[in-house]
Each structure stands twice: as structure tokens, then as C-alpha cells.
Amino acid sequence: MSLQTFFNPKSVAIIGASRQKGKVGYEILVNLVAGGYPGKIYPINPKADEIDGLKVYPDLVSIGETPDLVIVIIPAQLVAGVLEECAKVKAKSVVIITAGFKEVGPEGKKLEEEIVRIARRAGIRFVGPNCLGLISPSHKLNASFGGDLPVPGGIAYISQSGALLAAILDTANANGIGFSSLVSIGNKADIDELDLIEAFGAQRETKVIAGYLENIKDGNAFVREAEQISNKKPILLMKSGGTEAGAKAASSHTGSLAGGEVAYESAFSRAGVIRCDSIKEQFDFAQAFANQPLPKGPKVAVITNAGGPGIMAADAIEQKGLTFAKLSEETKKKLAEKLPAAANVHNPVDVLGDALADRYEFAIDIVLDDPNVDSAIVLLTPQAMTQSKETAEALVKIAKKKGKPVLACFLGAAKVEPGIEVLRKGGIPQYDCPESAVATLYVMSEYVRWRGRPKRVVRLFSVNRRRVESIVERHLRQGLLDIGEAEAKDIIEAYGFATPRGSIATTADQAANIAQQLGYPVVLKIWSPDILHKSDVGGVKVGLRSEQEVKDAFDLMMYRIPKKKPDAHILGVLVQEMVRTSGKEVIIGMHRDPHFGPLMMFGMGGILVEVLKDVSFYLAPLTAEEAKQMLVNTKTYHILKGVRGQEGVDLEAIAEGLQRVSQLVTEFPEIKEMDINPYVVGAPGTTSIAVDARISLEKK
Ligand code: ADP
Ligand code: MG
């Protein structure tokens, strides 16, 4: 169902319209009227005949027609009854402003479930409850008590916080920022962020979707749909609060590092969603996306009437990794012909402090024509003769013709205000400092890069799935949720990993025999389902070179570990071939996020992983590019690549390992967490070895 009737209704009924100033039921009616809503308004209140000259109806039925949109502002206990009434008159679109539902506790939750049930049955869609309402400026619809109707524009806004929406409205109205719609989603019992993102994605007047969210209802659906929409228009989100289940009760390294926001970060970057850290930043970005074309590339030119701000912009461009445009010879020649001799014809182009509007106009025109320029920032400081208004007019006029993004940064206050007013009306975003303008261009060019990304292709390796199935099934049947090193290695071997040779011993003699067969040196590791981190209890002894050393190590472990962990059930030791690459130890892990599913982790491994925390995350299933990007996103990458004459390691092997684990955890949703730590990787061409692994399961 399209949500279009919500934004462009022919008639609106207000259930709970009130005569009393200050009451929500009055303010909404007043806002609707004051906004100039052209459709029919039906205030409903059994105790009134007339409010501010509008005829009042006792109930929905007595209107005699079906209102397109119904706004509900009566006490929570009465809302279910009103929805029944909506069903009777076949009203399908409802905004429930009323609070006192899920947010107040179990009683309210029950009420909320009831209204959802009624709505589903009757085919009613509703916004709220516990919200501020909705606004659609191009249809002059202000069905909210959030503030005055803003001007129409290209930004659609979704807010999970009503109060924040009120603040945004106030700020936006003071700065002339235009919107296609604003919706306060409240408890989002029915219509949620995803419904709206889809609706706005299809709406022609919406150029950018922005929002503030505290949580996302369905992580997987969100990633899928948001990625589709991001291909057409940018989605800018502010997100507060972490995933509750994040770091809680995590026994793996990956689990304990994956807490909080990591899954959201990955989901957003996968879906092309641009994350914003503040309202200011969000509107800095949104205004540019809504009013300016996208840049074709990263090359930025700066035009200024003062050296200082020009250098600030240049520094910021450098820092962000954008390209400071190199103007062509022809451009420089043209500029030099007309600009005063003291002017700088290189980027940043300095038109000098005495520049009037015409000099700016000339320079902007020439610079924007340069094929080496993808976008421009125009800086202006209010000096004695500066014409802020006229310069803004020239800027608006020229920018329209060039098809390249132009951002303005008029520095100052009262003296530049007339210019800023012109910029606003002309759709040139204005920034209060060069850094903000640069940050915006950076986000725009990243978005362009994202849109041009190669199609995601997930490689499928041929694996021994049956083998894993039988191990997993047996563990689940026996209620064993932790799979220790020995069998975890069987699992990853079935998915193509090499592991050290070795077997289990229960006596010192047996251990020595196995060592003999493997060849020295060997490693001894405690084998117990109750010991997850073996080194912590002295359960790993490496570099054992003789029968005597093996036997001594065995006896020592059997003596010491039960003292440290009296409750642990000790089955024996694992005698293992000692891996002797000059390799580096990395970690490959996975933690299943409750909202977004399997979250892969990569980082510097070994026993220091949780101290160094140099890790990166991404949602499975991974493509080859995504796996490589995970490596690049860590500092470890520089070490692995080889520093200062040291040879690098087999990066391909790590990327492939990540993809293989990604396939494993995608094919086995029972795997809740896992770590391969360390995965020892050597020089390209050598075999990388999974030296330790652990897997934990959950019942599906
Ligand atoms: P845990 O993580 O449970 O403490 P590991 O099996 O990861 O136990 O062993 C701890 C460290 O011992 C590893 O990070 C690695 O440096 C070293 N190690 C363990 N097994 C081997 C092996 N077979 N060859 C070489 N080094 C090993
Ligand atoms: Mg380990």
C-alpha cells in the first residue's frame, strides 16, 4: 500500500479536537488551519458544536463521508474504539498522537497490541502512537503540534523522537530549510522507518531521506531495502543508543569486541546509508544533496576573497582525502587576463579583498568551466567593499548553469546576512566554516563512489557441509553449546582451512608417543570443554623438544590447572605439531548480531587482540572486495603488507579465510559466535594455518 494519502489527503478528521488553547487537540487544529490546508477539515468532539468557526461533528460516522486522514488525540483507552469506528467508515490512514502505550509499561503495551490487531484486521495503516504528527509542506498539511509549517523542499525527515523533530522544525524554519515531509514515528507500532524510507524513496519531491533513529526494527530487511533506495537517493541517519545484546555475555573475542554500534555501522555502510553525528552535520549534508547536483569526482576548487579561509579550506580538502583541483593552463590564463595582478590564479583562487560581485562572478564562471574541477566552494569574508548580496546573486545565477555542486561559505554575521538570504532562496547551501563545506563535499563524493561500486558477488567455495552438519547436530542433541578446539578445527577444515596435525592424549606416555609421531617440536594444550581461553590457565605450552619435556609439561598441566579451575572437566591434552612459519598471528571471527545477523571480524590476533582492539567488522556474507576492505580498515594492515623492508604476508589467504568463515556462518545459523585465533599467515605462497579455533552454538 502506498502511503501517499498520509501526505496528500483530501480531507482530515481530528478526533479529539478541542476548544481549549494549549491542549494538543486545539494546537493541531490551529496548525492545520494556519498552514493553509486546502482540503476539508472535520473536527470531532461530542461536546462541542464549533471550534474557531469550524463545524464540529460528534463522531466519524456523522461526517457522512470517509476522511482520507484521521488524526487521533484522545486518551489511550479510547483509541481502540476509534479504530473500530475508522474500520466502520473505511478510513485507512490514521495518525495516533496519543501517548500512554508501550512507553508506559505492560498495561500500555497491551493497549498497543490491541490497536495493532484492530488495524491489521481492518487494513488500516497508522503512524504512532505517542508521536508529534506529520507534516507535508507542499500539500500545506501540518498535522502536528511540532511547530509552524516549513517551506517545501527536497528533504524528507523521519524522527523517532518527537521533541527532536520540534527542535529541527524550529531550526529549519529559522534558516529557511525546505522539506517534502516530516514524520514523527513515535512507538512505530505499525508504520516504521522502513515503510517511510520506501515511501520517500518512491516520492518524486523527496531528494534526500534524513532521520533520527534509536533502533531499527528489522535489521535484515533494513539493509536490503535501504541499499535499494540508496542507489536512487541518499539516506542520512543519526542513530543513538547501542544494540542491547551487543557485548552482553560474549565469551568469544569477537563477541566482546563487537558490542554496541558496530553492527549498525556495518549495516549502514553496506546499505550506503550516510551516518551523521549531529543535527548540524545532518542538515549540512542534506541541504547539499537536496539542492545541488552530485560531483562527478573528488576535485575541488576554492574561490575566496581572503587568503586565510582559502588555506583553511585547502587543508580540510587535503585532510579529508579529497583532491585539491589543479586548474588548467587555459583557466589560469583567462583568470590572469582580467583579475588584478595581485590576485592568485591558482587554486585557491584569490579574487582579493576589494572584489565586488562582478569579479567573483567572472572567476566562478571560468573556474567552474574547467574540466579539472568537479565542485567548488565559494568563500566570502565581509570586507569594506564586499557586496555579499550581489555576490550571492551572481553565484546562484552561474551555479545553476554548470551542473557541478557549488557550496558557499560566507563568513561573518550581520554583514553577510543579506547574501545568505539570497543563497538560501537560490538553493546554494551555506556553511558556517570551510571545514563543514569540505566535509559535505567529501560525503557527496563518497556517496557517488558507493553508487558506482561493483555489483556484489559472493564467492561460493566447495566445502564438506555434511561433516559440519553432523558435528553441529551432535553437539546440539547433547546440549553442548561450546565446541572446543579439536572439533572446531574439524569444522573449519571442512571449510577449507589448514590446521596443525595433532591428537588427544590422556596420559603422559600417550602424549610422548604422539609427539614422537608428529616430530619435535610440539605444542601441548589443555583439552576441556570448560576452558575457553587455554593460555589464561597455563594450558598452552609451546616449543617442547623432547619426550621428557612433553611428559613434564603434561604432568605440570594436570597438577596446576585443576587447582586453578577446580570445576573444569579435564579430558586430557591436545598434542599438536608446532607451526613454524615466520608468520603473523591474525584473528578471524564472527558474532551473530540479534538485529543484523552474522557480523564478521578481522584483526591482529594472538593473545593481545582484546588489548589492542585493532579490529574491523562487516556483515556476512562477504564479497572478495569487502573481505579485503576489512583488512585495509585496520592498522595491522600496514604491518601485514610489510613495513621497512620486512616482507609482507599472504593477504589473499586472509581475505579468503574471511570469505570461507562468512560462508560457514551463513550456511549454519546455529553458529552463534566463533573465533579462529590465531590464524597464522606467512609469506605469499606458504600455507596459512588455523592454530586455534572455537565455536559456540545456539538452538534454532
Ligand atoms: P588460547 O587462545 O586458548 O589461549 P591458543 O591455542 O590460541 O590458545 O594458543 C595460544 C598461543 O600459543 C597462540 O596464540 C600461539 O601463539 C601459540 N600456539 C598455540 N598453538 C600453536 C602451534 N600449534 N604452533 C605454534 N604456536 C602455537
Ligand atoms: Mg587462541
Side-chain angles (χ1 to χ4, degrees):
M1 179 191 153
S2 140
L3 299 178
Q4 206 45 35
T5 37
F6 278 94
F7 304 111
N8 188 15
K10 305 241 160 357
S11 52
V12 179
I14 302 179
I15 302 188
S18 165
R19 267 180 306 206
Q20 232 173 303
K21 261 204 176 120
K23 279 194 125 181
V24 176
Y26 179 77
E27 297 305 327
I28 291 208
L29 186 62
V30 167
N31 278 346
L32 195 59
V33 173
Y37 175 65
K40 278 181 244 163
I41 304 175
Y42 300 114
I44 294 182
N45 181 345
K47 293 195 205 113
D49 305 322
E50 190 225 277
I51 303 173
D52 285 359
L54 284 169
K55 177 175 160 51
V56 176
Y57 297 79
D59 51 31
L60 269 182
V61 180
S62 44
I63 295 175
E65 75 157 339
T66 305
D68 270 354
L69 185 66
V70 177
I71 315 285
V72 179
I73 324 156
I74 49 167
Q77 301 80 348
L78 305 177
V79 173
V82 162
L83 284 187
E84 301 280 14
E85 219 186 312
C86 287
K88 215 182 289 169
V89 302
K90 301 202 163 49
K92 299 281 186 206
S93 307
V94 179
V95 178
I96 304 173
I97 307 253
T98 310
F101 288 89
K102 196 174 73 189
E103 78 281 7
V104 298
E107 279 302 305
K109 188 160 179 273
K110 253 194 243 153
L111 279 181
E112 191 163 311
E113 284 160 2
E114 194 191 347
I115 61 170
V116 171
R117 243 187 336 266
I118 298 170
R120 293 274 143 84
R121 198 169 357 99
I124 293 170
R125 300 295 318 261
F126 70 86
V127 171
N130 184 28
C131 76
L132 214 80
L134 69 83
I135 300 174
S136 172
S138 52
H139 302 108
K140 294 190 182 305
L141 175 78
N142 185 1
S144 86
F145 62 105
D148 295 338
L149 188 71
V151 292
I155 307 170
Y157 206 94
I158 302 164
S159 180
Q160 199 171 340
S161 155
L164 192 79
L165 195 71
I168 284 171
L169 260 183
D170 197 27
T171 315
N173 285 340
N175 294 292
I177 297 173
F179 292 90
S180 59
S181 319
L182 296 106
V183 183
S184 156
I185 52 179
N187 295 2
K188 50 182 182 179
D190 177 33
I191 291 175
D192 63 14
E193 60 279 352
L194 198 53
D195 295 312
L196 288 168
I197 287 175
E198 283 175 70
F200 293 142
Q203 219 175 47
R204 222 163 16 104
E205 60 264 39
T206 295
K207 305 278 183 260
V208 189
I209 302 168
Y212 163 80
L213 295 176
E214 280 156 13
N215 61 1
I216 283 170
K217 258 205 217 156
D218 180 347
N220 284 321
F222 176 84
V223 172
R224 222 175 27 243
E225 298 294 331
E227 187 178 358
Q228 297 275 331
I229 310 276
S230 296
N231 280 323
K232 293 188 281 180
K233 44 186 97 165
I235 304 175
L236 308 169
L237 293 181
M238 270 198 290
K239 159 82 184 58
S240 71
T243 48
E244 38 329 319
K248 198 167 63 188
S251 55
S252 67
H253 297 291
T254 309
S256 71
L257 290 163
E261 294 293 272
V262 192
Y264 275 97
E265 290 283 351
S266 304
F268 283 6
S269 78
R270 166 75 188 278
V273 169
I274 298 157
R275 186 166 187 168
C276 307
D277 293 328
S278 64
I279 301 180
K280 175 185 177 302
E281 193 179 82
Q282 193 171 37
F283 281 94
D284 277 352
F285 300 165
Q287 278 178 277
F289 277 117
N291 298 303
Q292 291 291 308
L294 291 170
K296 299 242 163 24
K299 295 176 293 227
V300 188
V302 176
I303 297 138
T304 177
N305 67 349
I311 296 165
M312 285 162 76
D315 285 348
I317 289 167
E318 195 97 319
Q319 261 170 25
K320 278 284 178 195
L322 287 167
T323 310
F324 200 51
K326 229 170 125 36
L327 301 181
S328 72
E329 288 310 317
E330 196 193 330
T331 302
K332 283 188 275 191
K333 213 175 95 206
K334 277 192 196 156
L335 288 172
E337 271 167 20
K338 274 215 192 159
L339 293 183
N344 184 16
V345 297
H346 299 268
N347 194 14
V349 174
D350 189 345
V351 292
L352 301 179
D354 62 352
L356 300 182
D358 60 343
R359 201 188 289 163
Y360 258 107
E361 180 171 346
F362 165 75
I364 295 165
D365 193 19
I366 304 273
V367 168
L368 281 175
D369 277 341
D370 191 323
N372 296 340
V373 171
D374 296 315
S375 61
I377 296 174
V378 178
L379 301 170
L380 177 144
T381 51
Q383 302 187 39
M385 22 225 315
T386 304
Q387 300 171 308
S388 99
K389 182 161 169 278
E390 292 78 358
T391 306
E393 280 161 358
L395 189 50
V396 170
K397 192 176 76 190
I398 294 175
K400 273 206 184 98
K401 293 188 225 156
K402 305 290 180 181
K404 295 179 182 178
V406 178
L407 313 190
C409 178
F410 283 21
L411 294 162
K415 283 193 181 161
V416 291
E417 190 48 43
I420 291 174
E421 188 61 39
V422 172
L423 293 172
R424 244 177 230 157
K425 295 215 169 88
I428 304 275
Q430 142 73 15
Y431 297 84
D432 58 8
C433 62
E435 292 78 8
S436 297
V438 172
T440 304
L441 282 177
Y442 171 73
V443 160
M444 290 176 99
S445 67
E446 279 296 288
Y447 173 68
V448 170
R449 201 174 58 83
W450 182 84
R451 287 232 305 219
R453 74 204 177 287
K455 195 172 164 353
R456 297 187 72 249
V457 182
V458 176
R459 182 171 162 199
L460 267 193
F461 299 89
S462 79
V463 295
N464 185 352
R465 200 167 159 165
R466 279 294 311 145
R467 174 100 189 90
V468 179
E469 248 163 40
S470 77
I471 301 174
V472 167
E473 271 167 25
R474 179 163 43 77
H475 276 81
L476 287 176
R477 211 170 38 241
Q478 296 172 351
L480 300 170
L481 295 181
D482 283 307
I483 304 182
E485 178 174 344
E487 281 177 302
K489 277 187 178 154
D490 288 347
I491 290 179
I492 59 173
E493 265 178 24
Y495 271 67
F497 282 88
T499 63
R501 289 177 302 133
S503 40
I504 306 288
T506 50
T507 66
D509 283 339
Q510 216 183 346
N513 270 337
I514 297 169
Q516 184 69 39
Q517 281 161 29
L518 291 172
Y520 293 101
V522 295
V523 178
L524 237 58
K525 297 185 188 179
I526 195 73
W527 181 38
S528 159
D530 305 314
I531 298 172
L532 295 176
H533 301 296
K534 300 173 290 290
S535 308
D536 294 353
V537 296
V540 177
K541 196 83 186 118
V542 298
L544 303 172
R545 299 183 179 278
S546 67
E547 185 180 334
Q548 200 51 51
E549 282 185 25
V550 170
K551 286 183 175 170
D552 290 349
F554 183 95
D555 291 337
L556 200 62
M557 276 189 195
M558 289 307 159
Y559 173 73
R560 280 197 181 151
I561 296 174
K563 283 196 172 163
K564 278 194 188 149
K565 287 218 120 191
D567 300 332
H569 189 48
I570 291 168
L571 302 170
V573 297
L574 187 56
V575 187
Q576 204 170 63
E577 149 195 30
M578 172 101 185
V579 174
R580 259 188 304 181
T581 61
S582 53
K584 297 270 188 297
E585 298 194 347
V586 300
I587 178 170
I588 292 179
M590 185 281 301
H591 165 80
R592 201 170 289 275
D593 180 83
H595 297 281
F596 295 101
L599 189 60
M600 300 293 305
M601 182 179 91
F602 163 75
M604 184 57 110
I607 46 181
L608 293 179
V609 52
E610 272 161 79
V611 182
L612 299 175
K613 292 200 171 86
D614 182 29
V615 288
S616 65
F617 292 88
Y618 212 76
L619 293 177
L622 294 179
T623 65
E625 287 78 25
E626 289 162 352
K628 267 177 229 144
Q629 193 57 45
M630 285 182 72
L631 306 188
V632 175
N633 289 350
T634 60
K635 293 192 195 85
T636 306
Y637 175 72
H638 299 283
I639 302 170
L640 297 176
K641 218 172 50 175
V643 275
R644 307 226 154 178
Q646 261 190 23
E647 200 193 357
V649 304
D650 195 347
L651 298 169
E652 287 298 324
I654 307 176
E656 186 176 314
L658 279 163
Q659 291 168 77
R660 285 179 182 274
V661 172
S662 154
Q663 181 176 341
L664 171 66
V665 300
T666 309
E667 289 174 355
F668 288 91
E670 300 90 342
I671 299 180
K672 193 174 137 214
E673 296 177 43
M674 68 179 281
D675 289 329
I676 296 177
N677 182 33
Y679 185 44
V680 180
V681 275
T686 59
T687 307
S688 301
I689 300 182
V691 164
D692 181 24
R694 49 171 313 275
I695 294 177
S696 61
L697 303 175
E698 65 189 340
K699 287 220 169 70
K700 279 281 142 182

